[in-house]
């Protein structure tokens, strides 16, 4: 996959963008850099989090999960904003529709988690441990919890998986295969057996939205709102009638139908609006910048 790929040039970090020769992302680069992210996670992120969980999480997300791919792209001469689809949509309604579609993503993960519980039940001690982690590391401050566990991961993880990994795979394989492989990596990367299937299923949905809309921002919003919902659920101890939201079990049928309706309509509107911005391509969204055999410009 890396045959004929871009060559590393640290001088690119100092050159003005217009002076660099633009390269394209490919699976060979994705594999190499993803390995570096894993090494950074274990040998940099883990010690940081053992020392201070909150600060360690923030630094791991920014410096390792998002920072390493972006640094590698700059050093390789790959345009970051265009490749990762970081330009803001011209229609703000797209982001609003992503917010409305987010509960559907949360419900999808919850339903798959319930199905997984039929053969792999999540221990109650694990649930209580996660709740204590949210509260202890944020001092019970809801705004800080949302920032640390929702906003920062929502952006940084999407840069890596629906930006860097998915875009690189799309350059050499079909959209279906690229989305499936990126979702598998997304699920495994969380290193949590109890969240493996729900997280991978989320990755499938996020990958499809990223490919359909050809923008990273809708999936950043989806991911952030989903994580924020999980954080909010740990702060609902005294709210009656929402125990199903806290434990993710026995979701009332009216809630399932209502969320499916609203999120389904929002997703439909999201796709329709995105097509007006050049979304939903028939071919993979990361074609070569020039036809094969055509010489590169300087």
């Amino acid at each position: 996959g890396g045959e004929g790929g871009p060559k590393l040039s640290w001088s690119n970090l100092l050159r003005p963008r217009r002076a660099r020769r633009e390269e394209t992302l490919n699976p060979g680069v994705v594999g190499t850099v993803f390995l570096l992210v894993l090494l950074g996670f274990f040998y940099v992120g883990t010690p940081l989090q053992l020392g201070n969980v909150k600060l360690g999480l923030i630094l791991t997300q920014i410096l390792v999960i998002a920072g390493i791919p972006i640094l590698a792209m700059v050093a390789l001469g790959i345009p970051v904003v265009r490749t990762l689809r970081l330009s803001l949509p011209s229609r703000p309604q797209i982001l609003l529709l992503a917010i409305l579609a987010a509960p559907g993503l949360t419900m999808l993960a919850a339903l798959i988690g319930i199905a997984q519980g039929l053969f792999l039940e999540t221990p109650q001690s694990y649930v209580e441990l996660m709740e204590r982690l949210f509260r202890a590391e944020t001092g019970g401050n809801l705004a800080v919890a949302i920032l640390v566990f929702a906003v920062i991961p929502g952006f940084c993880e999407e840069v890596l998986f629906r930006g860097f990994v998915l875009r690189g795979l799309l350059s050499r394989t079909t959209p279906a295969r690229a989305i499936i492989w990126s979702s598998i990596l997304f699920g495994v990367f969380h290193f949590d057996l109890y969240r493996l299937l729900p997280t991978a299923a989320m990755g499938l949905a996020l990958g499809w939205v990223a490919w359909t809309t050809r923008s990273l921002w809708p999936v950043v919003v989806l991911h952030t709102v989903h994580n924020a919902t999980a954080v909010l659920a740990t702060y609902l101890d005294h709210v009656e009638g929402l125990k199903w939201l806290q434990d993710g079990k026995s979701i009332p049928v009216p809630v399932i139908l209502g969320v499916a309706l609203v999120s389904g309509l929002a997703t439909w509107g999201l796709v329709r609006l995105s097509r007006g911005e050049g979304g939903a391509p028939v071919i993979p969204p990361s074609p070569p910048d020039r036809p094969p055999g055509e010489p590169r410009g300087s």
Side-chain angles (χ1 to χ4, degrees), residues 28-46:
V29 173
V30 167
T32 304
V33 174
F34 192 77
L35 176 60
L36 292 175
V37 172
L38 287 175
L39 293 173
F41 183 85
F42 283 113
Y43 292 107
V44 177
T46 299

Side-chain angles (χ1 to χ4, degrees), residues 201-248:
M202 280 178 51
L204 283 173
L206 291 169
W208 177 79
V209 172
W211 175 73
T212 302
T213 62
R214 300 189 74 178
S215 173
L216 196 67
W217 290 108
V219 290
V220 168
V221 171
L222 283 166
H223 195 153
T224 299
V225 175
H226 166 76
N227 284 9
T229 302
V231 172
L232 285 169
T234 67
Y235 284 78
L236 295 177
D237 290 342
H238 304 294
V239 180
E240 297 181 359
L242 292 177
K243 182 174 176 55
W244 56 269
L245 180 59
Q246 294 176 310
D247 58 23

Side-chain angles (χ1 to χ4, degrees), residues 169-188:
L169 295 178
L170 281 169
S171 69
R172 296 290 176 89
T173 189
T174 64
R177 289 180 180 177
I179 291 170
I180 289 171
W181 277 110
S182 65
S183 68
I184 292 173
L185 291 175
F186 182 58
V188 172

Side-chain angles (χ1 to χ4, degrees), residues 15-276:
R15 286 180 188 169
R17 188 175 64 177
R18 63 180 178 275
R20 304 175 200 154
R21 184 176 69 180
E22 288 195 357
E23 301 284 357
T24 56
L25 192 57
N26 64 42
V29 173
V30 167
T32 304
V33 174
F34 192 77
L35 176 60
L36 292 175
V37 172
L38 287 175
L39 293 173
F41 183 85
F42 283 113
Y43 292 107
V44 177
T46 299
L48 286 173
Q49 292 178 45
L50 289 175
N52 184 311
V53 175
K54 180 173 65 176
L55 180 60
L57 283 170
I58 294 172
L59 292 177
T60 301
Q61 289 283 343
I62 295 174
L63 300 181
V64 176
I65 294 178
I68 290 177
I70 291 175
L71 182 67
M73 292 175 70
V74 174
L76 291 166
I78 300 171
V80 174
V81 174
R82 188 173 74 241
T83 301
L84 299 182
R85 306 290 191 192
L86 284 172
S87 297
L88 287 172
S90 62
R91 302 180 181 182
Q93 303 96 310
I94 289 177
L95 300 182
L96 175 61
L97 288 170
I99 294 174
L100 295 176
L105 183 69
T106 301
M107 188 177 70
L108 171 67
L111 292 175
I112 292 177
I114 292 171
Q116 176 182 271
L118 298 176
F119 58 88
L120 181 64
E121 185 173 359
T122 304
Q124 184 60 32
S125 58
Y126 170 88
V127 177
E128 293 173 355
L129 175 64
M130 296 302 293
E131 291 178 356
R132 287 199 302 271
L133 175 66
F134 282 158
R135 290 179 178 275
E137 295 303 325
T138 58
N141 188 315
L142 179 59
V144 173
I146 289 177
L147 176 66
V148 173
F149 295 105
V151 176
I152 294 176
F155 176 77
C156 294
E157 292 179 14
E158 290 311 309
V159 164
L160 175 60
F161 289 100
R162 258 61 61 181
F164 185 79
V165 172
L166 181 60
R167 291 280 291 156
L169 295 178
L170 281 169
S171 69
R172 296 290 176 89
T173 189
T174 64
R177 289 180 180 177
I179 291 170
I180 289 171
W181 277 110
S182 65
S183 68
I184 292 173
L185 291 175
F186 182 58
V188 172
F189 187 80
H190 284 77
F191 303 104
D192 189 334
L193 181 62
Y194 300 111
R195 292 193 295 161
L196 175 60
L197 289 182
T199 304
M202 280 178 51
L204 283 173
L206 291 169
W208 177 79
V209 172
W211 175 73
T212 302
T213 62
R214 300 189 74 178
S215 173
L216 196 67
W217 290 108
V219 290
V220 168
V221 171
L222 283 166
H223 195 153
T224 299
V225 175
H226 166 76
N227 284 9
T229 302
V231 172
L232 285 169
T234 67
Y235 284 78
L236 295 177
D237 290 342
H238 304 294
V239 180
E240 297 181 359
L242 292 177
K243 182 174 176 55
W244 56 269
L245 180 59
Q246 294 176 310
D247 58 23
K249 300 177 181 178
S250 304
I251 303 176
V253 174
V255 172
I256 294 176
L257 295 177
V259 169
L261 178 62
V262 173
S263 295
L265 289 173
T267 303
W268 175 79
L270 181 65
V271 172
R272 294 275 296 181
L273 280 179
S274 298
R275 283 177 179 169

